Amino acid sequence: MRPASSNDGKPDVITLAVAAIGVVFGDIGTSPLYTMKEAFSGTHPVAANYDNVLGVLSLVFWALVIVVTLKYVVFMMRADNRGEGGIMALLALVLRATAAGTGGRWLLMTLGLFGAALFYGDGIITPAISVLSAVEGLEVATPALQPFVIPITIVILIGLFLFQQKGTEMVGALFGPITAVWFAVLALLGIINIIEYPGVLVAVSPAYAVRFFAENAWGGFLVLGAVVLAITGTEALYADMGHFGKKPIRLAWGAYVMPALLLNYFGQGALILHDPTALAHPFYHMAPEWAHFSMVILATMATVIASQAVISGTYSLTRQAIQLGYCPRLEVTHTSESAIGQIYLPWINWVLLAAVIEGVPSPHAGMVMGTSKRFVVRGSYRLIAPKVLARQVAGPT
């Protein structure tokens, strides 16, 4: 049984695309909160001069085009396992296409299990760093609220995990329109700032990325750790394929999500060039002061949705691991009458919650989780690639 379609009373492609915006693209949709900030004022920053800003924007642009659009949306989403996506679904396909007992089979199996472990790590890191990054916007509005950032973050995370038993469809229906507004605001803020400095649009040329590495050498390579934050959540896009289907996800990405992200990143670049003092929080400085509290509220809701993307992906991953015999049997609750991929696993839900809450109170939580997230994202992408290649070489089974 494949994901819901327009037949037999099931949701049509447009409805599923809106719901997918609320679940699948939450993580990558909140990356503008911290990507540019990390590049110019993070662990390994570069100077915020004209060439560097255009270089980073060029890297972000081509990362979204090559990694997300070409690799995942166009190429990897073809490698589904009866409508299901994710690294375990891909592992199942590869195992069926390779001979038992061979060294290559064991290598691919090991890579698959390690990649699954990295995705569980992302399921812990993403809710914590995303919600924390949004709530930290209160400090921009007024420093007096700084002591309340951690408690508010924890309360929001607990509420999110308590809501999981309602199901992905319910969460998507509730948060989908909110996320649609979020992406519209991202695009609007980007357009307003691009108008002030339209010259940043030349960064679509890869020549600026090449020049960036030529001028910064090793420092330019280290900044890639910040650039990769712009594509966080892409694995959830593939893992949640069974929840919504290929067409809705592709439609939502190409027609709405990607344009909004690019406009916002280029808008942040324009702001940094126009006002270098905005480096501390370039995202929140894009908005006028009177809108700061509204932006914090909207960003918090968006990061809750970002967390939903990896949480639902973790459920799918666990069920696939159980089916392959790599995980003990756990209680699996189906939350939809029309889509078999929409499930809830209570034990996984509460373990994730405990791990997420454990990491939030650290004084340097944002920096530590940011570094960990970059490792998880890069590791996941590198481990998936050889299995996709093996699957394509082996052909259909």
Side-chain angles (χ1 to χ4, degrees):
M1 181 176 180
R2 287 191 176 273
S5 67
S6 58
N7 300 323
D8 302 324
K10 298 177 182 179
D12 58 22
V13 173
I14 300 298
T15 302
L16 285 172
V18 173
I21 291 174
V23 175
V24 177
F25 298 104
D27 192 3
I28 196 170
T30 54
S31 295
L33 284 169
Y34 43 76
T35 298
M36 296 296 285
K37 174 186 174 182
E38 183 69 18
F40 295 105
S41 58
T43 309
H44 303 287
V46 292
N49 56 45
Y50 179 82
D51 288 339
N52 285 345
V53 170
L54 293 186
V56 170
L57 286 177
S58 185
L59 289 171
V60 169
F61 175 83
W62 288 104
L64 290 173
V65 170
I66 295 173
V67 177
V68 184
T69 304
L70 294 181
K71 179 179 178 180
Y72 274 85
V73 176
V74 174
F75 182 61
M76 286 196 57
M77 291 186 72
R78 298 174 58 191
D80 67 289
N81 184 20
R82 299 174 183 175
E84 292 287 340
I87 195 166
M88 294 304 293
L90 188 56
L91 178 59
L93 291 173
V94 171
L95 293 181
R96 289 207 301 264
T98 55
T102 61
R105 181 186 178 93
W106 280 103
L107 175 61
L108 292 171
M109 187 186 304
T110 302
L111 291 175
L113 294 177
F114 187 64
L118 289 177
F119 189 76
Y120 280 112
D122 198 21
I124 295 171
I125 297 168
T126 293
I129 190 175
S130 298
V131 176
L132 183 60
S133 296
V135 178
E136 281 179 341
L138 291 172
E139 300 179 28
V140 178
T142 169
L145 294 176
Q146 192 276 335
F148 300 97
V149 169
I150 296 298
I152 292 174
T153 300
I154 292 176
V155 169
I156 292 171
L157 289 170
I158 291 175
L160 170 65
F161 280 91
L162 288 175
F163 197 72
Q164 291 304 308
Q165 56 189 314
K166 300 296 183 180
T168 305
E169 186 174 6
M170 178 69 72
V171 175
L174 178 63
F175 290 129
I178 297 175
T179 316
V181 172
W182 167 255
F183 282 111
V185 171
L186 289 183
L188 178 61
L189 292 176
I191 291 171
I192 292 172
N193 285 272
I194 289 172
I195 291 174
E196 295 291 330
Y197 204 107
V200 295
L201 295 177
V202 300
V204 298
S205 170
Y208 287 94
V210 174
R211 184 185 303 171
F212 176 78
F213 287 116
E215 293 179 354
N216 291 280
W218 179 247
F221 176 78
L222 293 177
V223 171
L224 284 177
V227 173
V228 79
L229 293 176
I231 55 175
T232 58
T234 311
E235 163 61 14
L237 180 154
Y238 180 53
D240 285 342
M241 185 166 59
H243 292 243
F244 300 100
K246 300 177 184 179
K247 289 183 178 179
I249 292 176
R250 285 170 171 165
L251 175 63
W253 171 255
Y256 196 69
V257 175
M258 182 179 179
L261 289 174
L262 289 175
L263 285 171
N264 191 265
Y265 282 122
F266 278 79
Q268 289 191 47
L271 174 66
I272 293 171
L273 290 175
H274 181 70
D275 181 15
T277 61
L279 279 175
H281 277 286
F283 176 81
Y284 284 109
H285 281 91
M286 295 178 75
E289 291 186 10
W290 57 264
H292 279 172
F293 280 108
S294 299
M295 285 304 302
V296 170
I297 294 173
L298 183 59
T300 300
M301 290 190 291
T303 53
V304 167
I305 301 160
S307 305
Q308 177 61 50
V310 293
I311 293 172
S312 58
T314 303
Y315 296 156
S316 298
L317 178 68
T318 304
R319 185 181 67 168
Q320 293 162 10
I322 293 172
Q323 292 171 340
L324 291 173
Y326 296 128
C327 178
R329 291 189 176 275
L330 300 171
E331 178 184 352
V332 178
T333 302
H334 291 267
T335 59
S336 173
E337 296 180 356
S338 60
I340 195 171
Q342 297 186 13
I343 56 176
Y344 166 70
L345 283 77
W347 192 86
I348 294 296
N349 189 68
W350 305 127
V351 170
L352 281 178
L353 174 60
V356 168
I357 298 301
E358 176 68 21
V360 171
S362 169
H364 305 288
M367 182 180 299
V368 173
M369 288 186 291
T371 302
S372 302
K373 191 170 180 65
R374 291 194 293 270
F375 170 78
V376 167
V377 173
R378 286 178 292 188
S380 297
Y381 296 156
R382 290 170 181 171
L383 290 171
I384 283 176
K387 288 188 290 301
V388 174
L389 180 60
R391 163 64 178 166
Q392 296 301 320
V393 170
T397 58

